[in-house]
Amino acid sequence: MSIIADDNDFKSSAIADKKKRSVVKAECLDNDKHFENCIRPKTFDTYIGQSALKETLKITIAAAKKRELPLDHLLFYGPPGLGKTTLAGVIAEQMGVEIKITSAPALERPRDIIGILMSLKEGEILFIDEIHRLNKVAEEILYPAMEDFFLDMTTGKSQTVKTLRIPLPKFTLIGATTKAGELSGPLRDRFGIIHRLEFYTEDELSQVITRTAGILDIEITEEGAHAIAKRSRGTPRIANRLVKRVADYALVKHDGKITEDVANKSLDILKIDNFGLDNTDRSLLKLIIEKYDGGPVGIETIAAAIGEDVRTIEDVCEPFLLQAGLLQRTPRGRKVTPETYRHLGYKNININGQKSLF
Ligand code: ADE
């Protein structure tokens, strides 16, 4: 028996569909982890930016598939929020394999890394975030696993000590780090492919923003997307967070649509300036200017004075400030540039003790 649906059936199924979609969207907005997972691109076509890197990776993947071998171990480095984890997920999808995601601080005890290595299947990808924070023991367990796909285990004590070589399936390790320089030489040498992720252009970020808004059913104009992109510090993670905040403002104060004006008003309220700097960035730069005559001043002194920890300053604030030319790193500490004075609206500048006016 076939059932012919009447118009009301269609209407109620459309309503049910819409409800289902809004439940999914509500889940996306539930917390940061859900949000990132909902909007994470799964294919090279939907992954915006990093075009040179994407082209190289596509060739590497095609070659590995032709040879029917797992990919070489890969290391991605670059500032946080540029899509290292996302890219690893795209690679897994493209290779048609599972990916297990962990981070170095979670691999504290030998059994943590041994457990995860032993759970891998042929061809699978193990992604280790913040790999520069791996401890010595975990690193030494990884060396033979990466090189020869073996786990070297020792049993017994002193004179009765025995080494067991346990074979592992051929897997691919993808490591990600914000600090390539802190990786030990032997670990870095075991990666066949090393790539740096670059900051995104305003156009690329604007595409990321439009895509995210589309997934979340948020109406946005091209100018609105560019206004958010301009203040996103070249970083998709920041751009996506700002979309959420601006969408809240658009919904509460306007009709829900993100226009250039709505985006600018909302970002002004959030105290994110037209370079994308927030209060922490500004207090860091102002401190160097006002208390240390433009620098140089040590990072520990800066951290103590503004009440942030050194790691947050080094990993989160500094990469963009350095790239934007608002901060310099010297052997004697951090110093600002003429551009910093100009951007923060100072009339007198002081560089290396030389005072001048704009
Ligand atoms: N969201 C975060 N990173 C992205 C990217 N590179 N492309 C599209 N959406 C993203």
Side-chain angles (χ1 to χ4, degrees), residues 7-282:
D7 203 32
N8 277 337
D9 280 340
F10 279 124
K11 271 191 202 132
S12 55
S13 79
I15 291 167
D17 251 14
K18 196 156 185 180
K19 268 195 185 150
K20 218 189 288 165
R21 282 211 327 261
S22 59
V23 169
V24 172
K25 256 167 254 139
E27 269 177 17
C28 283
L29 294 167
D30 199 18
N31 64 42
D32 277 355
K33 266 263 126 356
H34 280 159
F35 175 64
E36 286 203 2
N37 286 337
C38 279
I39 58 170
R40 196 160 260 170
K42 305 261 184 318
T43 62
F44 280 122
D45 287 341
T46 49
Y47 187 100
I48 295 153
Q50 313 293 343
S51 25
L53 171 54
K54 277 198 314 192
E55 287 318 304
T56 322
L57 286 174
K58 281 184 197 167
I59 292 170
T60 311
I61 291 171
K65 278 186 166 170
K66 264 197 165 167
R67 292 194 186 105
E68 297 184 20
L69 283 174
L71 277 180
D72 270 354
H73 304 304
L74 278 150
L75 179 69
F76 291 144
Y77 71 97
L82 298 191
K84 296 186 276 291
T85 315
T86 307
L87 202 50
V90 170
I91 293 172
E93 187 82 16
Q94 203 73 23
M95 289 292 291
V97 298
E98 286 295 309
I99 176 165
K100 294 210 160 84
I101 299 180
T102 185
S103 78
L107 304 172
E108 207 183 314
R109 301 158 304 178
R111 75 167 112 123
D112 299 323
I113 181 95
I114 291 171
I116 202 155
L117 285 170
M118 293 196 55
S119 74
L120 294 171
K121 299 195 188 73
E122 192 77 17
E124 281 187 359
I125 294 177
L126 170 60
F127 178 83
I128 305 183
D129 203 5
E130 296 187 74
I131 196 157
H132 61 278
R133 293 175 68 185
L134 216 52
N135 63 46
K136 204 81 221 110
V137 178
E139 260 196 32
E140 289 192 349
I141 293 170
L142 260 187
Y143 295 157
M146 289 175 76
E147 217 160 349
D148 306 316
F149 303 106
F150 273 106
L151 256 183
D152 284 332
M153 308 255 271
T154 49
T155 58
K157 283 203 176 116
S158 58
Q159 268 132 355
T160 62
V161 74
K162 274 194 194 138
T163 311
L164 273 178
R165 292 212 99 187
I166 302 170
L168 290 170
K170 292 199 174 62
F171 68 98
T172 298
L173 175 66
I174 303 185
T177 177
T178 49
K179 292 186 168 163
E182 285 188 15
L183 226 64
S184 74
L187 183 56
R188 199 172 44 239
D189 291 346
R190 282 171 173 83
F191 286 98
I193 307 165
I194 301 182
H195 286 297
R196 182 191 147 90
L197 273 81
E198 305 291 344
F199 281 113
Y200 289 60
T201 64
E202 191 186 309
D203 269 349
E204 288 167 346
L205 283 181
S206 159
Q207 290 173 50
V208 170
I209 289 163
T210 307
R211 176 180 176 272
T212 301
I215 293 171
L216 300 176
D217 240 353
I218 295 164
E219 214 184 328
I220 189 164
T221 64
E222 206 179 313
E223 295 77 17
H226 269 279
I228 301 176
K230 269 198 189 100
R231 305 200 203 189
S232 298
R233 310 167 66 109
T235 309
R237 183 183 293 154
I238 296 180
N240 285 331
R241 285 194 188 143
L242 293 181
V243 173
K244 266 206 303 187
R245 296 285 71 84
V246 175
D248 290 348
Y249 177 84
L251 188 65
V252 175
K253 296 282 185 191
H254 295 267
D255 57 357
K257 182 168 166 180
I258 303 179
T259 60
E260 184 177 9
D261 184 50
V262 167
N264 284 334
K265 278 194 181 128
S266 156
L267 295 168
D268 286 346
I269 292 171
L270 292 169
K271 302 231 175 321
I272 294 167
D273 70 21
N274 51 9
F275 250 57
L277 308 193
D278 61 16
N279 278 335
T280 310
D281 302 309
R282 282 189 297 269

